[in-house]
Amino acid sequence: MTTFPRLAAFALLAGLVAGCSSSGGWGGYVAAGNDQQQANATPLSVEQLSAKVGCTPKMQVDSEEIRTGHCKTEAGEFFVNTFKSEKLKDQWMDQAPEYNPHLVGPRWTVLGPLEVLEQLKSPLSGDLHLMDHRVSQTPSPK
């Protein structure tokens, strides 16, 4: 199976899992690194995030709790996910493979190859997470 079909299958499966999961199992879980600014930020839509990098997304999942769009730009192919809440984003990311890097923002994630995410980081103002989504591995400026 090639990389693109794997990413597409994973995005669809993760969306279904997040959409069908019970909210009772996570209790008071809060991911480290969430701050008040992120919690109060007005979330961007899949379409708004995609437009920032010159893409019209092909919607893969369109539910009340999670929306996923596939984009293909000169930078490469990637998936843009938006979530109804930070809690849903964290639940989704807990299911994401640790070996796949993510670009993360308030109530959104972008999943794709590292070289693509590095090109999208600046225009999307995202935080690059290379392994565990609770801790950003993006080097901070000195």
Side-chain angles (χ1 to χ4, degrees):
M1 187 182 254
T2 63
T3 301
F4 175 72
R6 282 186 194 179
L7 288 173
F10 172 74
L12 181 59
L13 178 62
L16 293 172
V17 168
C20 297
S21 67
S22 168
S23 62
W26 293 89
Y29 171 76
V30 176
N34 287 347
D35 60 16
Q36 195 62 30
Q37 182 181 5
Q38 258 192 346
N40 293 332
T42 301
L44 296 175
S45 69
V46 169
E47 293 82 3
Q48 290 169 319
L49 289 162
S50 299
K52 283 185 157 198
V53 294
C55 173
T56 300
K58 181 176 178 183
M59 294 307 293
Q60 305 288 314
V61 177
D62 194 358
S63 72
E64 183 180 331
E65 294 166 337
I66 182 174
R67 298 184 73 229
T68 300
H70 173 258
C71 273
K72 184 174 182 178
T73 66
E74 289 182 11
E77 295 183 56
F78 53 94
F79 290 92
V80 178
N81 305 289
T82 58
F83 304 88
K84 185 176 179 177
S85 68
E86 281 293 318
K87 181 179 177 180
L88 286 172
K89 178 182 84 174
D90 290 336
Q91 289 174 343
W92 183 89
M93 289 188 69
D94 281 340
Q95 301 299 315
E98 289 185 13
Y99 55 84
N100 280 345
H102 290 79
L103 196 58
V104 181
R107 293 173 36 186
W108 62 263
T109 65
V110 174
L111 173 67
L114 180 58
E115 55 275 0
V116 173
L117 298 182
E118 287 173 339
Q119 293 182 50
L120 302 177
K121 184 177 184 272
S122 180
L124 294 179
S125 300
D127 193 21
L128 187 58
H129 294 242
L130 299 177
M131 296 171 92
D132 188 344
H133 75 274
R134 293 171 197 86
V135 180
S136 169
Q137 285 83 32
T138 301
S140 56
K142 294 184 178 186

